Amino acid sequence: MPAMRYRNSAIVILAAMALLACPAQAFAGYGPGGSTNGDPNTNTSGGSDGKGDISATAGVVYDLSKNGSGATTGAVTPTTTWTPPACYYAPKFSPGALEAYLTPIWEADSTGYEWDATQRDRYVNGKPYKDFNKDKAGKGYWWDSYVTKGREGDPGALDCTKPIFWVDTGDNPPADIPQAVTPEILSQLAYNEIRVPSTKVTLAPADKTKVNLPTWAWLDGAEFKPVSVTASVPVLGISATTTATPYSLKIDPGTSDAVTYPASGVCEFRNGSIGEAYAKGKAGETPPCGVKYLRSSGTGSYPLKATITWKISWTGTGGTGGNLDDGTFGATQDVIVQEIQSVNR
């Protein structure tokens, strides 16, 4: 099916360039921090044509203004096999935009006469659409498939094979298209954009610790606070905000010759922070979060791994909402453990 492969690849390349005409009351734009599906750093925009219609960026728009930021942030990994949808359907073209997109493909004669003729019948000759539905300009949208960022090579990205279809404003997409965008799908796409800070913990002693000496571990509570991403389809007036909230820290000492505090190695968030900063005079106390190494690391070090679990929830248009799978993000740091030196007199 070379013609179909050409059509799908061309749609992916040009998707971000398509503009939609839509009723003004259906548009809900974002200011700084918003982005398009194709470029997470592009702000949204819209403009009126003087007739009550405005144009807006097609597809899904992301507001990243409350997301984690900085060089040490990363994406969370679901704790199960769950993944966001590899592909989905959303508005992409106005009648004029679809004509401008398809006509050069047909005229290039690279997709074959039969396929081009079938396409002209479908979108121009009334089988079932006539003249790209220009008589419905401003009264609906041409929907097409999108591939979720990061899933381009996933076999599931090829599951959205429905040809471009029309949906009148206010109508639901056809019932036989389960991947049609909804607030719930938007929440999953927003999950894919969540970024959280690195989990390097502060240790005391800081540089080197000793065998059988409890080492305190804690995180800066100011860095670990809820983050969120909002995904929306402005021309449909639907949106969902997905929020990741830090829940617990798991410490893996990097060796079996160690004990953790607590014994499970899982330190929960309390009062906005994990663990407790070491203070002078606490050397004889058991840390609420930490590790005690039972053997020296010799001439090397132990790879202590700290992993944060984030609870993920969402709220969407129409009172929708719920929980998504927990996500984790971890980092490894080297810990040097030395024997305690004794002095014989």
Side-chain angles (χ1 to χ4, degrees), residues 200-210 212-219 249 251 259-262 267 274-293 304 333 335:
K200 183 175 181 179
V201 296
T202 303
L203 300 174
D207 299 324
K208 301 175 183 178
T209 189
K210 304 293 184 181
N212 291 321
L213 175 67
T215 300
W216 292 56
W218 68 94
L219 291 171
L249 165 70
I251 293 180
V259 296
T260 56
Y261 305 101
C267 309
I274 283 185
E276 180 182 331
Y278 176 78
K280 186 177 181 180
K282 292 184 177 181
E285 299 181 17
T286 298
C289 183
V291 60
K292 179 171 69 175
Y293 288 96
L304 181 147
Q333 58 200 86
V335 177

Side-chain angles (χ1 to χ4, degrees), residues 69-266:
S69 60
T72 61
T73 58
V76 293
T77 300
T79 55
T80 67
T81 58
W82 175 87
T83 60
C87 66
Y88 59 93
Y89 295 93
K92 187 177 286 187
F93 301 104
S94 67
L98 182 61
E99 179 182 27
Y101 167 66
L102 288 178
T103 300
I105 297 176
W106 299 339
E107 292 178 346
D109 198 27
S110 59
T111 50
Y113 171 80
E114 291 186 3
W115 185 80
D116 290 348
T118 300
Q119 292 289 292
R120 286 191 173 93
D121 280 346
R122 176 174 174 82
Y123 298 109
V124 180
N125 299 330
K127 299 179 183 180
Y129 306 112
K130 185 175 181 180
D131 195 21
F132 299 100
N133 272 5
K134 289 180 183 177
D135 61 329
K136 290 189 173 184
K139 300 177 182 179
Y141 326 100
W142 288 107
W143 289 47
D144 197 12
S145 62
Y146 291 79
V147 175
T148 302
K149 187 173 68 176
R151 303 292 300 279
E152 294 82 0
D154 193 310
L158 303 177
D159 289 345
C160 297
T161 58
K162 294 285 185 181
I164 300 169
F165 58 92
W166 178 267
V167 179
D168 287 331
T169 300
D171 287 354
N172 294 321
D176 63 342
I177 303 181
Q179 304 99 326
V181 69
T182 62
E184 184 172 4
I185 286 180
L186 289 175
S187 75
Q188 297 170 6
L189 297 176
Y191 187 121
N192 197 49
E193 298 292 331
I194 288 286
R195 298 295 181 267
V196 296
S198 176
T199 52
K200 183 175 181 179
V201 296
T202 303
L203 300 174
D207 299 324
K208 301 175 183 178
T209 189
K210 304 293 184 181
V211 171
N212 291 321
L213 175 67
T215 300
W216 292 56
W218 68 94
L219 291 171
D220 183 355
E223 295 184 10
F224 290 87
K225 54 188 177 182
V227 298
S228 65
V229 171
T230 297
S232 67
V233 182
V235 296
L236 298 181
I238 62 173
S239 66
T241 298
T242 298
T243 301
T245 302
Y247 177 71
S248 64
L249 165 70
K250 181 174 178 58
I251 293 180
D252 180 350
T255 174
S256 59
D257 293 316
V259 296
T260 56
Y261 305 101
S264 64
V266 177

